[in-house]
Amino acid sequence: MNQDQITAKLSQINSKGLEASFSLSEAALANAQKLADLNYAASKDALVNTQDSIQQVLTAKDPKQVTELLSTETLQAASAQAVAYQKKMSKVLRDGNKEFANVVDAGIDQLQDGLQDWINTVATNVPAGSDAFLSSFKTIYGSALQGFEQFRAASKEAFASAEKTTDQAIDAIQGQIAQVKKAATPASRARKSA
């Protein structure tokens, strides 16, 4: 194998890595667009709800009507909207993480396959008496493969941890909303009976 063939093989391996980078960039842009759309829709809904609430307060005839507008049901509707937004956001992030993990896995697999192919090509074309060099080269390559596998395992663990943290945050928010509902229910019943 001559220098041009070795260079061509390495160039081929690099081009596959570049393709994986482009794929990651495209996925990141698509997820950013999804998040932007989600935030736009949530902001628009919040603005419409706020305008409606202000209009209702301005047209109220007495303070009791204003108090009724701030009832538990109104707060529950707002909290349900916030939880729905959190779930949608979590889904977009989770899907993006899965897509990223898949691209990373595919990239590692391509790189490993390309390097293995390159090693095999070099091994079949080494001059006689290069066994010691070839053995040390394969040992270095084996260590590099172990590094890739460690990176793969660490990235999967990081994604799992991020998902778990997101789920815990959503559960905590829903728990707080439930506590507010519980606390507000007796107060609203007292106001209605008075």
Side-chain angles (χ1 to χ4, degrees):
M1 173 176 263
N2 64 27
Q3 183 66 34
D4 290 338
Q5 291 171 324
I6 292 172
T7 304
K9 277 282 188 200
L10 289 175
S11 178
Q12 182 182 19
I13 292 169
N14 285 337
S15 70
K16 288 182 180 179
L18 198 56
E19 288 173 11
S21 294
F22 284 135
S23 180
L24 281 175
S25 297
E26 288 174 357
L29 285 174
N31 283 330
Q33 182 63 46
K34 288 177 187 176
L35 289 174
D37 292 344
L38 181 62
N39 285 329
Y40 174 75
S43 298
K44 184 178 172 184
D45 289 345
L47 184 60
V48 167
N49 290 341
T50 301
Q51 286 177 330
D52 289 345
S53 297
I54 290 172
Q55 184 63 35
Q56 289 174 354
V57 167
L58 291 175
T59 58
K61 295 184 169 83
D62 59 35
K64 185 177 180 185
Q65 276 185 317
V66 173
T67 305
E68 288 173 0
L69 290 173
L70 301 174
S71 68
T72 304
E73 293 80 23
T74 306
L75 296 175
Q76 286 175 349
S79 65
Q81 215 174 13
V83 168
Y85 170 77
Q86 288 270 335
K87 286 182 179 180
K88 289 176 186 175
M89 182 74 80
S90 175
K91 182 181 180 337
V92 169
L93 293 174
R94 190 171 286 154
D95 290 348
N97 284 346
K98 286 178 186 174
E99 192 171 344
F100 181 75
N102 290 339
V103 170
V104 167
D105 276 346
I108 288 173
D109 291 341
Q110 284 179 345
L111 188 58
Q112 287 176 332
D113 292 345
L115 285 174
Q116 184 64 52
D117 185 40
W118 184 71
I119 294 291
N120 292 340
T121 303
V122 168
T124 58
N125 294 309
V126 295
S130 302
D131 293 341
F133 171 75
L134 186 59
S135 177
S136 66
F137 194 66
K138 285 184 176 181
T139 301
I140 292 169
Y141 169 71
S143 296
L145 285 180
Q146 287 177 344
F148 288 134
E149 290 304 321
Q150 288 173 347
F151 176 76
R152 184 189 318 243
S155 65
K156 285 182 179 181
E157 187 177 318
F159 291 133
S161 176
E163 284 185 9
K164 183 178 177 183
T165 302
T166 301
D167 290 341
Q168 288 173 341
I170 289 174
D171 290 344
I173 290 169
Q174 288 175 331
Q176 290 172 350
I177 291 170
Q179 288 176 350
V180 168
K181 287 179 187 177
K182 267 186 180 178
T185 302
S188 63
R189 284 185 189 147
R191 275 185 286 178
K192 288 180 181 176
S193 64

